[in-house]
Amino acid sequence: MHRRLNWLLMLAALAAAFALYAIKYDTRRLEARVQAQERALEKAETDVTILAAERAYLARPERLEPLARLIGLAPIAPAQYLRLDVPTPSPQAGGEAVNVPSPLGVTPSPVAPEARQQNVGEGKGDRRTVDVELPPTPIPSPRRVEDAPSARWGGETPAAR
Amino acid sequence: MPAPATIAPPYRSAPAGHHLEARLRKRARLVLCALLLALAVIAGQMTRLALKGGAELRLTLAEPLARSWSRPDIVDRNGRLLATDVGVNSLYADPQLIPDLDETIEKLTAALPGLDAAELRKALSEKARRFAWVARGLSPRQAQRVHELGLPGLAFRTELKRVYPLGALAGHMLGTVNTDNRGTAGLERMLDETGRVEAVQGPGRTSKPPLRLSIDIGVQHALAEELKQATIRYAASAAAGLVLDAASGEVLAGVSLPEADPLRPAEWLDPARTDRLAGGVFELGSIFKSVTVAMALEAGTAGLDKVYDVRQPLAAGPYVVKDLHPLGRPLTVREIFLHSSNVGAGMLAIEAGAERQRAFLDLLGLTQPMRIESGPVAPPLLPKHWGRIETITIGYGHGLAVAPLQFAAAVASLVNGGLRVVPTLLARSGDAGEPVRVVSAATSAKLREIMRLNVTNAGGTGRQAEAEGYRVGGKTGTAEMPGRGGYQEKSVISSFAGAFPMDAPKYVVLVSLFEPQTGEAGAGRITAGLNAAPATARIVERIAPLLGLLPRRLEARSSEPAPFDAPRQAQ
């Protein structure tokens, strides 16, 4: 009776030792994984801050402005605003040219015709235009309301509210 | 293993009688109990540790980390980054561990071109020292390059470093930090003083939320760019510009040229780079007449159509106040404002009296020191004695020096319907409390009327400030700067203080050019109407779209236009 019990206990002790070893080994591995993850997290966080700073540096207006001007962009001139209130057919006499009233009620391009432009990207669906010689501030010359009788500029229509 | 049965338990075969057996048994049981108790204590302790978790027992291998200070990010009102902390690698050496000094120096200087070889040799030759900085604040790429050299005796420490991705933009407001990443000026200092900075070991990031400013980077850049062009065009030595929300007092943009770079604290000591918006006081000249007229209207001593005889120079003790370009006829208050008559403004001030003038300036907050988040604003310089002469001169903006920021806040209070404006650099989240009325709505409306008239009227001094569609209104001012032997005629501050859109002002704009040499009409024509006013027009035309304002094409026709994306109603 005692002998059997001792055997059993010894076996149990052995089994417990093995189990303990296995668990300890597992724990150590898991801990290493946790640490690796934590380190990765820390690294990712550091990377995020560096990338955020770099992104802000690349997107600084000081750099973007010359680039934007290079592709022919400019601050919005007051004359470039349109109102999209009512689609008005053009009152032009002999309106042969204006069979279908534009939904905008205006000729779409606010860019002055005299601006020297060149089409690039032929073959593609879109037509990008780029100024060849860049004036210091390529603001399109403002259109007068009387120049474009079909235009419904902001403020001309009754307030939509 | 011997069979357990061969050894008989001693008490079984003990010759002694029951007596001894019982004693031994008792003893054995006692020992057993003690052992069990000890085991139970151990088991209990283990359970306790297992349940509590071994967080405080875990040992982490600490890298050699420098203690530094972690600061919250600073972002603009739209969340764009103005200042942040990045972990940088700082390279140090243990001179004792360097086997080949020549090779080390050669390879290092090749990898880091900025390094001074002679200085490095000196630092690394001291074998007694176990620590010497080689290069601090390396970029990840540079650090990688050094790492790849595989030189013994070199190691990295991670430190936090404050970076300003936008360079000197808004530098005067941001301030500076020292090498320990602690704030020493501006908003950075405010962060330290309000306890938003955490001490960290290594590159730990703060959990504190970012500081959201009231400024808009786009507007700030546009203002800085236009002011830079204006200083070139009009050959000015310096400039200051401010865009202020007329209702909330939020500073949308504030520029003082020449700029100060937060990363070059040494530059800040240069007096030319002082913050001209908040860090200096100036006699701003005729733009003060808006305040004088508002005072006269508010006190009821004059209406806009009251006529004053301004033909005679105004005698004030030993001085005589004259108009530069007298019209040779009596002027109404409206005309006094439009033609910027010093005599007229002096007469308005005299009529209201020194006491009322002082009280009105007190009410507008132009006499008390003011504070904004980045630090105290330079306190106003008041005359020692407030007599008849001072009343007259303050009436047209001399004898009282204030910081432009403080003056802009007063203008905002005058045009926004009459409610006090307290300028702030932080984005306002909600209401700033009960509004304090400084002037009546009627006075504010009248002031708006004459400010707009000053730009639209053919005789107004601010004609060139007109930005098509944005209804700018305001007052010009050309103030002679005090110098050696009195005021200097050729050295002026020409300013424009106004607001737009003038029928319901959303933004107050203040532009000051220091010592301009030319104007639109040619060299030597340095009055504000010819330089500060057109500069303002350019600024407004550029920033109004960024602020979401729509130009109005034909002002007389209709009311406020609906935003372009507003839902259209059936007509």
Side-chain angles (χ1 to χ4, degrees):
Chain A
M1 162 76 194
H2 271 292
R3 201 187 296 178
R4 204 172 285 168
L5 189 70
N6 280 344
W7 272 109
L8 272 175
L9 282 177
M10 214 165 71
L11 281 176
L14 264 175
F18 273 116
L20 183 70
Y21 181 76
I23 288 175
K24 203 173 171 190
Y25 188 79
D26 265 7
T27 314
R28 212 177 272 176
R29 218 180 36 168
L30 285 173
E31 260 172 9
R33 257 179 72 188
V34 166
Q35 266 180 18
Q37 301 272 356
E38 271 172 0
R39 215 167 286 162
L41 185 72
E42 216 167 77
K43 170 112 176 48
E45 266 174 9
T46 319
D47 285 354
V48 165
T49 51
I50 289 177
L51 288 174
E54 229 160 77
R55 182 190 177 282
Y57 177 69
L58 289 175
R60 66 195 190 278
E62 205 185 334
R63 170 174 174 269
L64 288 190
E65 195 194 331
L67 292 180
R69 290 200 189 273
L70 203 68
I71 57 169
L73 300 176
I76 310 169
Q80 284 176 298
Y81 283 93
L82 337 163
R83 276 180 82 95
L84 305 180
D85 267 349
V86 195
T88 31
S90 170
Q92 276 175 347
E96 191 61 35
V98 206
N99 287 333
V100 186
S102 155
L104 303 180
V106 293
T107 42
S109 168
V111 178
E114 61 267 32
R116 290 180 302 265
Q117 290 188 334
Q118 180 195 28
N119 285 334
V120 294
E122 280 98 353
K124 291 178 187 167
D126 59 331
R127 284 154 51 92
R128 289 191 298 129
T129 56
V130 170
D131 276 17
V132 184
E133 279 174 31
L134 290 164
T137 47
I139 301 171
S141 66
R143 280 177 165 235
R144 303 261 162 248
V145 175
E146 49 272 16
D147 291 345
S150 60
R152 306 283 302 192
W153 299 103
E156 225 190 334
T157 49
R161 282 180 294 177
Chain B
M1 192 185 279
T6 55
I7 301 168
Y11 51 84
R12 283 268 160 93
S13 58
H18 283 280
H19 233 62
L20 182 66
E21 198 178 332
R23 265 173 61 196
L24 281 173
R25 233 171 241 230
K26 207 184 254 175
R27 217 175 269 180
R29 212 168 286 158
L30 211 69
V31 170
L32 204 68
C33 277
L35 274 173
L36 277 176
L37 202 72
L39 279 171
V41 167
I42 291 170
Q45 176 77 346
M46 280 175 79
T47 319
R48 196 182 65 86
L49 286 176
L51 288 180
K52 251 182 93 179
E56 60 270 61
L57 286 175
R58 198 174 63 203
L59 285 175
T60 43
L61 200 66
E63 301 166 45
L65 293 178
R67 185 181 153 89
S68 63
W69 297 87
S70 174
R71 318 179 62 77
D73 289 350
I74 300 181
V75 297
D76 86 335
R77 63 188 300 115
N78 302 316
R80 292 167 76 184
L81 201 61
L82 278 162
T84 190
D85 277 346
V86 295
V88 291
N89 295 298
S90 291
L91 182 66
Y92 68 94
D94 182 346
Q96 281 192 8
L97 295 181
I98 294 179
D100 186 344
L101 191 58
D102 291 326
E103 187 203 356
T104 305
I105 289 172
E106 192 180 311
K107 282 190 173 169
L108 272 181
T109 44
L112 305 170
L115 233 47
D116 183 356
E119 216 163 277
L120 192 61
R121 179 174 295 276
K122 203 174 137 206
L124 298 188
S125 302
E126 287 179 49
K127 293 282 182 196
R129 280 173 70 191
R130 299 297 309 263
F131 183 94
W133 282 119
V134 176
R136 291 182 81 169
L138 297 180
S139 73
R141 215 164 288 143
Q142 289 173 313
Q144 187 62 31
R145 238 184 293 153
V146 174
H147 186 73
E148 279 162 6
L149 296 177
L151 294 168
L154 295 177
F156 287 105
R157 269 188 184 187
T158 318
E159 291 183 303
L160 279 181
K161 192 182 175 206
R162 195 68 160 165
V163 292
Y164 303 89
L166 304 188
L169 196 68
H172 276 118
M173 295 178 203
L174 292 174
T176 51
V177 296
N178 60 16
T179 41
D180 292 334
N181 227 24
R182 303 225 63 172
T184 49
L187 289 166
E188 296 283 20
R189 185 172 177 161
M190 185 273 280
L191 283 177
D192 280 64
E193 282 168 357
T194 52
R196 275 183 254 195
V197 176
E198 288 170 23
V200 288
Q201 302 285 332
R205 295 269 304 146
T206 177
S207 51
K208 298 262 165 52
L211 183 72
R212 198 163 145 250
L213 302 190
S214 61
I215 71 162
D216 181 317
I217 285 176
V219 180
Q220 175 81 16
H221 167 73
L223 180 63
E225 200 58 31
E226 290 299 331
L227 276 182
K228 277 178 201 165
Q229 285 182 21
T231 52
I232 296 168
R233 187 180 293 120
Y234 307 122
S237 68
L242 182 72
V243 181
L244 196 69
D245 187 307
S248 68
E250 291 172 294
V251 174
L252 270 301
V255 176
S256 171
L257 295 180
E259 287 171 312
D261 190 337
L263 283 184
R264 297 194 178 84
E267 268 183 7
W268 289 55
L269 301 174
D270 181 0
R273 289 187 193 274
T274 49
D275 183 5
R276 288 180 163 76
L277 282 175
V281 293
F282 306 98
E283 293 173 291
L284 290 167
S286 301
I287 56 175
F288 237 84
K289 283 173 192 156
S290 332
V291 175
T292 307
V293 170
M295 173 192 65
L297 294 174
E298 186 68 7
T301 54
L304 284 184
D305 296 310
K306 190 169 175 184
V307 179
Y308 288 85
D309 188 357
V310 297
R311 282 173 293 187
Q312 294 302 316
L314 203 56
Y319 307 102
V320 174
V321 178
K322 283 185 290 193
D323 279 341
L324 248 62
H325 309 287
L327 283 173
R329 62 178 170 84
L331 299 177
T332 61
V333 172
R334 206 178 258 118
E335 286 168 322
I336 288 172
F337 190 83
L338 251 53
H339 299 292
S340 196
S341 160
N342 286 350
V343 176
M347 289 171 84
L348 284 173
I350 286 288
E351 194 178 28
E355 245 146 71
R356 233 183 277 179
Q357 186 181 40
R358 170 93 209 223
F360 191 72
L361 294 178
D362 281 345
L363 191 66
L364 280 178
L366 285 173
T367 51
Q368 291 94 14
M370 191 172 73
R371 244 194 107 80
I372 52 168
E373 289 83 1
S374 62
V377 174
L381 272 183
L382 305 176
K384 284 187 197 79
H385 169 76
W386 205 307
R388 182 182 145 88
I389 309 164
E390 287 77 16
T391 308
I392 293 172
T393 57
I394 289 171
Y396 62 87
H398 281 272
L400 174 66
V402 293
L405 177 71
Q406 201 163 355
F407 183 76
V411 172
S413 314
L414 289 177
V415 299
N416 72 359
L419 303 175
R420 169 168 297 154
V421 166
V422 181
T424 175
L425 293 180
L426 303 185
R428 285 249 161 92
S429 44
D431 288 330
E434 193 66 24
V436 182
R437 181 158 290 281
V438 287
V439 292
S440 68
T443 302
S444 178
K446 281 179 195 161
L447 199 68
R448 290 203 296 270
E449 184 204 320
I450 55 172
M451 280 178 134
R452 178 70 184 135
L453 199 64
N454 191 27
V455 174
T456 52
N457 191 285
T461 49
R463 284 185 316 279
Q464 299 207 28
E466 173 70 336
E468 195 188 352
Y470 296 114
R471 290 150 285 151
V472 182
K475 180 79 192 76
T476 56
T478 314
E480 292 171 8
M481 286 166 88
R484 221 169 271 168
Y487 287 98
Q488 296 169 319
E489 217 172 284
K490 289 290 160 213
S491 174
V492 300
I493 304 174
S494 65
S495 315
F496 186 87
F500 67 95
M502 210 59 216
D503 34 9
K506 281 210 171 75
Y507 301 102
V508 165
V509 53
L510 177 73
V511 172
S512 290
L513 300 173
F514 292 76
E515 300 174 276
Q517 301 304 312
T518 62
E520 288 293 326
R525 305 286 300 278
I526 52 174
T527 50
L530 297 171
N531 43 41
T536 306
R538 282 193 194 89
I539 288 164
V540 170
E541 255 185 36
R542 191 153 166 196
I543 64 173
L546 298 174
L547 295 167
L549 287 178
L550 276 184
R552 189 178 302 170
R553 298 288 300 176
L554 298 165
E555 196 163 310
R557 291 271 188 107
S558 71
S559 62
E560 184 88 3
F564 70 94
D565 53 353
R568 200 191 308 160
Q569 286 175 0
Q571 294 196 346

